[in-house]
Structure formats: C-alpha cells, structure tokens
Amino acid sequence: MTHSRPTRVLVTGGAGFLGSHLCDRLLADGCDVICADNFFTGTRENVLHLRDQPRFELLRHDVTFPLYVEVDQIYNLACPASPVHYQHDPVQTTKTSVHGAINMLGLAKRLSVPILQASTSEVYGDPQVHPQTEDYWGHVNPVGVRSCYDEGKRCAETLFFDYRRQLGLSIKVARIFNTYGPRMHPHDGRVVSSFVVAALQGLPITVYGDGSQTRSFCYVDDLIEGLRRLMATPDAVTGPINLGNPDEFSVLELAEQVLELTGSKSELRFAALPSDDPVRRRPDVSLARRELGWEPRTPLAAGLALTIDYFDDLLRREG
Ligand SMILES: NC(=O)c1ccc[n+]([C@@H]2O[C@H](COP(=O)([O-])OP(=O)(O)OC[C@H]3O[C@@H](n4cnc5c(N)ncnc54)[C@H](O)[C@@H]3O)[C@@H](O)[C@H]2O)c1
C-alpha cells in the first residue's frame, strides 16, 4: 500500500501579512510548510500560533541569497509591500524583487516544481485604462519614488515568463490588488490600516487629496483562496491574472465606513497627494472568474469589522 505524503510548500515572505494567512491555509489543507522570511516587515508574532505545529518550519532567510530546500511548490511573496517600507531602502527593494525572483526561480527549476509570484496591481502604474485587464501594459514612471517596487515587480514578471519560455518552468503570476485584513502592519501607511488605527486611537484620519481617488479592497481570505486556486491550475495556466475586489470605493467613503464601524470621533484631515499616487485602481477579475471560478465574497463592512477587531486587540496589548 502506498501512502501519499503531504505536499511540501515553501512560502517566502511567510511571516508577513498575506504570507502568514497563506501558511495558515496551507496547513489547514494538510500541507507541510516552510516559511522563509528575513523579518524586514513580517514578524514572528504573525506565525507564533503555528510554532507547535509539526508540519510548520520557520526559516530566517533573505531571498536575495539562494535557498536550497526540498519542496513541491513555491509561493514567492517576499517583498516589502507598502510605500513606507519599500521606500525605506529602495535599492534593497529592487534586489528583493529581482534577485529574489532569480533565486526562487532557480530553486523551482532545480526541483522542477511550480512557482507562484505575488505580483501587484502596481505593474499597471497610474493606469489610463479602467478597470485594468491583464493585457494592459501599464503606465509606469521608471524613475520615480515608487519605481523600485513597480519596476522591480515588473522585472520579476519578465523573469517568470522568460523562465517559462526558455526553460519550460511551471509559473503562476498573480497581480494582487489592495488587500486588507488582520495582521496588516499597524504603521505601514496603507490606507485601511492607517484609517483603522487612527480611528481606534481617536487621532485625526489623514485623507490625501480630496479623498475622491478610488481603491478596491479585497479581504485577505478571499485573496488567499485565489492564490490556492491559481496554484492548483494546469500547467498551461500561467497568468498574469488579477486578484482583487472589483467593488470601487473612494478613500473618503472608506474613512466614513471606518468611523461608523469603530464609533470613533476622529476628525478627517486633508493633505497633499503623494507623488505618483494612482487616482483610480480597480481590477477586472473576469479572467480569474473564468479560469479559477473565483471571485471575492467578503463585503467591505464585514472585512473591516474583522480588521478593526484585530487592531483593537493589538493596540490594547501594546498598551
Ligand atoms: N497586501 C497587498 O495589498 C498586496 C498587494 C499587491 C501585492 N502584494 C504582494 O504580496 C506580497 C506580500 O505582501 P504583504 O502585504 O503580505 O506584505 P508584508 O510586508 O506583510 O509581507 C512581505 C514579507 O516579506 C518579507 N521580506 C521582505 N524582504 C525580504 C527578503 N529580502 N527576504 C525574505 N523575506 C523578505 C517581509 O519580512 C514580510 O514578512 C508582496 O510580494 C507584495 O508585493 C501585496
């Protein structure tokens, strides 16, 4: 009698916001998980609850260096994702995307295993097409302050597709749009975490511009489901494929919802728009619907309520 062994999965950036939820999900699905992270923006706390799981292993590792482990699948999520973090050391950000992709693709090639890249809606830059479909090539400033992230991620996509064309690797590229939920970094300057933390602390909520710029917010569980479905597709499905929530809200509407759900009396303050901040961003998820049978299910109010609970608890613990 043969026993099938669990699928062994490497998650780079596994101690981060999305990575830690992916580790949870993979373990729940019966996989063995190696989580590799250099803890730049991720924390041990994000995966502390997995410490005693025999199927979970945490490695301190920087993906700009090669890694040799034996696995059956790779999810490459390592990269700081918010402007405050990726602009902190922009050269390192590009290295993480580009050298990280080369190292993880090299590992995937050596092992002949599928590899999924956490790409981003930022590859579309400040888009001139709404909503964005995967065949839109983007409108990206190559020399601005966001370029280390945007161009790094674009180059990583190029590498993924060249490894596919040149070496026949099984690749999956997900273009992730704004995702939120528990375990976001409380001080990453991202709009959901910033608004929720300010509201809970009764501090002013800073809205950039007049708040009419729109965003689409995907709840983390929906996103992770999309990544799992993408990894499970046949070899011919490579992406790039948008994953995000197509419901569009203005930043001002988000602020108002956060105020309502927290019951906070925080005032709204308006400040100048940061450089290269996109005016509108909304995914077209028709391809994900068609190829993955996927679409987001969590309404903004429900996801925000869970996120608010998390930050409320975190802020109480931090005193
Ligand atoms: N959350 C979103 O809305 C969103 C949107 C688009 C794309 N993404 C992508 O998804 C991935 C995860 O994002 P997140 O929101 O969880 O951010 P995060 O900052 O919480 O997670 C990134 C993780 O990567 C780790 N990391 C950074 N540099 C590393 C390196 N050189 N070596 C090893 N680990 C390193 C960090 O410590 C962190 O744990 C990123 O690649 C990001 O670009 C996220």
Side-chain angles (χ1 to χ4, degrees):
M1 199 170 79
T2 55
H3 292 278
S4 64
R5 61 168 175 73
T7 308
R8 300 161 306 177
V9 186
L10 170 64
V11 181
T12 75
F17 160 49
L18 297 182
S20 62
H21 285 275
L22 179 60
C23 290
D24 286 347
R25 171 65 192 269
L26 289 164
L27 288 162
D29 289 348
C31 301
D32 279 357
V33 176
I34 299 178
C35 163
D37 205 296
N38 70 349
F39 304 115
F40 174 47
T41 50
T43 61
R44 284 174 194 289
E45 286 68 44
N46 283 343
V47 287
L48 202 61
H49 59 289
L50 304 176
R51 181 183 46 179
D52 297 327
Q53 293 241 13
R55 291 201 163 152
F56 179 73
E57 196 179 337
L58 179 60
L59 292 183
R60 178 188 287 270
H61 179 78
D62 184 324
V63 292
T64 61
F65 296 94
L67 176 66
Y68 300 102
V69 288
E70 298 296 320
V71 288
D72 306 301
Q73 292 177 352
I74 302 170
Y75 287 84
N76 188 36
L77 272 61
C79 186
S82 67
V84 281
H85 290 134
Y86 69 64
Q87 287 167 10
H88 170 75
D89 185 347
V91 171
Q92 186 60 24
T93 299
T94 304
K95 279 188 182 168
T96 294
S97 273
V98 176
H99 293 197
I102 291 170
N103 287 326
M104 291 310 123
L105 285 161
L107 179 64
K109 178 181 150 241
R110 189 173 69 84
L111 300 171
S112 299
V113 299
I115 177 165
L116 182 148
Q117 167 70 354
S119 190
T120 169
S121 56
E122 298 283 340
V123 300
Y124 299 121
D126 189 357
Q128 293 160 315
V129 169
H130 297 282
Q132 288 85 53
T133 46
E134 291 82 353
D135 55 5
Y136 177 53
W137 290 353
H139 180 232
V140 179
N141 175 359
V143 294
V145 294
R146 301 174 80 108
S147 312
C148 59
Y149 184 69
D150 302 6
E151 296 289 21
K153 288 286 190 178
R154 285 169 71 94
C155 183
E157 286 199 8
T158 307
L159 283 161
F160 267 69
F161 279 86
D162 281 333
Y163 266 76
R164 166 85 179 174
R165 281 184 287 259
Q166 208 175 318
L167 302 158
L169 215 67
S170 176
I171 61 154
K172 315 279 174 194
V173 175
R175 288 187 180 152
I176 302 170
F177 284 66
N178 252 340
T179 302
Y180 71 99
R183 301 190 205 135
M184 290 182 90
H185 197 289
H187 307 294
D188 63 2
R190 284 196 249 185
V191 63
V192 173
S193 45
S194 302
F195 285 8
V196 170
V197 169
L200 289 171
Q201 294 181 323
L203 298 171
I205 292 183
T206 306
V207 175
Y208 292 112
D210 61 2
S212 62
Q213 69 275 30
T214 65
R215 294 290 183 270
S216 61
F217 304 103
C218 184
Y219 187 64
V220 60
D221 289 356
D222 290 335
L223 194 274
I224 299 300
E225 175 68 27
L227 295 182
R228 290 292 285 144
R229 287 186 185 215
L230 179 57
M231 185 58 107
T233 52
D235 203 44
V237 178
T238 58
I241 195 159
N242 290 338
L243 292 178
N245 194 321
D247 294 343
E248 211 171 0
F249 291 89
S250 74
V251 167
L252 200 56
E253 281 173 318
L254 174 73
E256 281 157 3
Q257 280 225 27
V258 168
L259 285 177
E260 196 184 313
L261 288 165
T262 51
S264 168
K265 300 272 179 290
S266 289
E267 57 163 322
L268 299 186
R269 275 199 195 152
F270 293 86
L273 269 182
S275 164
D276 291 346
D277 196 45
V279 182
R280 245 185 118 187
R281 181 74 64 59
R282 178 181 169 224
D284 181 317
V285 293
S286 324
L287 189 64
R289 265 198 206 103
R290 220 169 40 242
E291 301 226 313
L292 312 178
W294 174 89
E295 61 188 343
R297 299 189 176 282
T298 315
L300 184 62
L304 276 180
L306 294 164
T307 310
I308 290 167
D309 284 351
Y310 167 77
F311 279 118
D312 194 29
D313 186 52
L314 183 78
L315 294 173
R316 277 175 212 280
R317 275 189 281 128
E318 284 181 352

